[in-house]
Amino acid sequence: MHLLLAILVGILYACGLYLMMRRSMLKLVIGLGLLGHAANLLIFTAGRVVPGAVPLIPEGMTTPSGPIADPVPQALILTAIVIGFGVQAFAILLVRRLAERTRTDDVRELTTTEQLETQTGTGKGAS
Amino acid sequence: MTPLLLYIVFGAFAAAVIAPLLVRWFGDRASAVLAIVPASVVGIVFFMLGPPPDGLLQATIPWIPSLGIDLSFWVDGLSIIFVLLIAGIGTVVLVYAGAYLHDHRDLGRFLTWIMVFMGAMLGLVTSGNLLTLFLFWELTSISSYFLIGFLHDDAASRKSALQALLITGAGGLSLLAGFILLGSAVGSYELSAILTSGDAFRSSEWYLPGLLLILIGAFTKSAQVPFHFWLPNAMAAPTPVSAYLHSATMVKAGVFMLARLHPVLNGTSEFHVLVGTAGAATMILGAVSAFGQRDLKRLLAYTTVSALGTLVLLLGIGTETAVQAAMVFLLAHALYKGALFLTVGIVDHETGTRDVESLGGLWRMMPMTALAATLAALSMAGLPPMLGFIGKELLYEAKLAAPWAPWTITALGVTANILTVAVAALMTLRTFGGASSSVRTAHDPSWQMWGGVALLASLGFAAGMAADLVATHIVGPATTAIRGERVETSLGLWHGVNPVLLLSLATLASGAALYALHRPIRRMTAGWRPWKAERAYDAALAGMLASARKQTLWLQSGQISTYLALTLLATLLLVGLPILAFWPQLSMVVAMDLALLPTVIAGMMAIAAFLAVRAKTSLGSIIALGVVGYGIAVLFLLYSAPDLAMTQFAVETLSVVLLMLVVAKLPEFRQMGSRSTRLWQAGLAGAGGALMTLLVLFVTAEPARMTLATFYGEASYALANGRNIVNVILVDFRGLDTLGEITVLGIAALGAVALLRLVVDKEDGR
């Protein structure tokens, strides 16, 4: 199964990277999401995948009853999923806010802060 | 003795810290309060240290024992002569600076840097370890940068400061490299070991590269050709700085270095040729350039360049007489040049100009200054009974007896001295004597200012009168230290009629004649500078900046796609190429053991990923991303990771909802990049994906290591009373990581709230 998963990891990375090189901000965020999935799957696969070996200790025992899947990559990925979500949520809100202010979704147009000022041109001092 | 040594070096640093406070309390008089520090150092050296037994004081304080670096001190005759100069002239300059920078808003900053410089310089000349010596050496460059750039709202001042820093800083790097070669060849960075290993170093293969590197360091610091140009430019500094750093002390650090390492470096023809040539060239070039200057400060600066050349030349000659002459001349020059610089400061301060052409007749308005300055100029011109006279006599004696090209050296030396005599005359007679100029309102400044000039000038006179005392207590021990063997010194004003005296007389006569003719000659040579090394510096600096700008524009395009592409390209080159070398091992890749359900899921995810890329609408793209996310959750479920699956389902749902919320605000997808851009970016992304696939394959081709899994399996219940091992790892064994994770989430949430609030506030404001 590892060969298949390795190829899937590659496909997810390729799609994520390609999307992140787009000029549309939304595509960038979606690419970021794909890249996150790809990284999680990479760690998961590198830690070996085994079916039917949940790392749990059954009731009444003090050690697992048989061989278990490596819990360390699982712990790492759990952390990564949560942090990835935090980043993604922040990125999504940032994109939304930028789109509202600049009326564009093209990252090329976001070159300088000065331009942003003149484009929005509130002419109002610090609030 | 150790506490006294520590006070000598670190007293000034401590004073630097409180200098701004003192200015707040005492105003201008703070500088006089600070002057107590160097004055007490002079006192300690005179009355408490005395002539040290064996001419040497040592102390070692362990500093970084693991690296073998100790804070060690090495105080011999050479250190003493420099300590006296640094602390003595430092005292005068500090008292002077309080009056010169009267009511300046940045007096505190100025005094801090002057004290830092003083401490660095004292540390430099008393260091017993090459590495600590280097630290102090760099600190003098840094404090010099801040002092030259003291008037920071002047562009020329900033440029000069940067130039001095770059030149001496580059020299410092070279010096460090030389030190490392020297230290490795000898096997120690302690002076005690190095100074006795001269033969070992001279015969090692590292001698020539080490010598060259150390010489570059010394030559940049002491403004030798072709690095001399920074010194006249450094005159942008306030005059007390010019007097202190750029004539009396810092620029002599290079000379000090040559003297300090003389027992190690001296004695080969390479040393004599390199040091002698640089010194002679600088000596003559400085003197010639000085004569045509209009600005009194630049005029003095070029004579300083010339004097530094003389000192380097003498050390290059390297005989006992030459070293002795160097020490006498060092002392004499510091006294008269310090005094003359302070005089220029007074003239500038009182008349508002330093242009020698528009000055004249000032002696009527400022008699005390005129008197003191004339006394100093007599020493500069080398007239008896000043110390300058003795210095010049010895200098001629050493040059005549040079083992290598004595006649050329003497001829150059006489020429330089004739010019020096003329410049000394120009400096005093044109400024103070003659008809009065347009300046009418000048008068003697406060005693703090002219007193310093008078003190330094009279010291030059007293030292000439009491030459024997100077010889036994200062010059003798210094020469002994440099030569590495006991040297008996006696100095006197009168040696009978000999070739040296005749040369002196000829020098004075020619100098007087040159002064008499100075107007037409100066007019002819005005602005004429024989060597434009500064152009090379300017071109190098401009070239460096231009290439940096190009490189930055190329690398820092401001386009996220370019950044990503460059990062990807670098990763491919750095990780991908080595991986190809392991290619043959890939034959052991895992067999195809396809299970049906995972294969279907993986296939769906791959298709969804492609759809996310190809989708024509943003909604389609988001849904495709959601499919990939749910797919991965199913994979987690299938491969024994139920916790991950649960988390992934929850998070994916939230993400999709959030993305849906944004879509409404964004324009619909459109194609923005050109076809060729899309193609090469797709190629690059594909290569990146392939690299990751290979990485996974390589990792999984290795046998799995289950040590950690076994440990957690056994310890989970025994140590943490938990049955869900992944849970236990997260909240117990790696609890701090989870705390970090929570912090990240918290910060992201704060950021998100801030973004949302910002929108509301602005909308309210409209």
Side-chain angles (χ1 to χ4, degrees), chain A residues 1-13 36-51 69-70 72-77, chain B residues 589-591 593-594 598 602 605 631-632 635-636 639-641 644 692-706:
Chain A
M1 224 28 236
H2 290 111
L3 179 59
L4 187 72
L5 289 181
I7 292 169
L8 182 59
V9 166
I11 290 172
L12 293 183
Y13 262 107
H37 291 323
N40 288 344
L41 196 60
L42 180 136
I43 300 174
F44 195 59
T45 317
R48 306 303 188 280
V49 292
V50 265
D70 194 340
V72 180
Q74 292 196 18
L76 284 177
I77 294 167
Chain B
V589 162
V590 207
D593 51 347
L594 290 186
M605 285 168 69
I632 222 171
L635 283 182
F636 287 149
Y639 289 112
S640 324
L644 298 194
M692 300 321 276
T693 298
L694 280 179
L695 273 180
V696 176
L697 289 180
F698 272 111
V699 172
T700 46
E702 293 281 313
R705 292 192 180 81
M706 298 302 280

Side-chain angles (χ1 to χ4, degrees), chain B residues 512-529:
Chain B
L514 186 59
Y515 175 70
L517 293 171
H518 76 272
R519 282 170 206 273
I521 297 178
R522 269 166 60 86
R523 219 170 293 130
M524 261 160 36
T525 60
W528 175 65
R529 257 180 286 155

Side-chain angles (χ1 to χ4, degrees), chain A residues 15 27 47 49 52 56 63 74 82 91 93 102 121:
Chain A
C15 293
K27 285 188 182 172
V49 292
L56 286 178
T63 50
Q74 292 196 18
V82 175
L93 285 170
T102 61

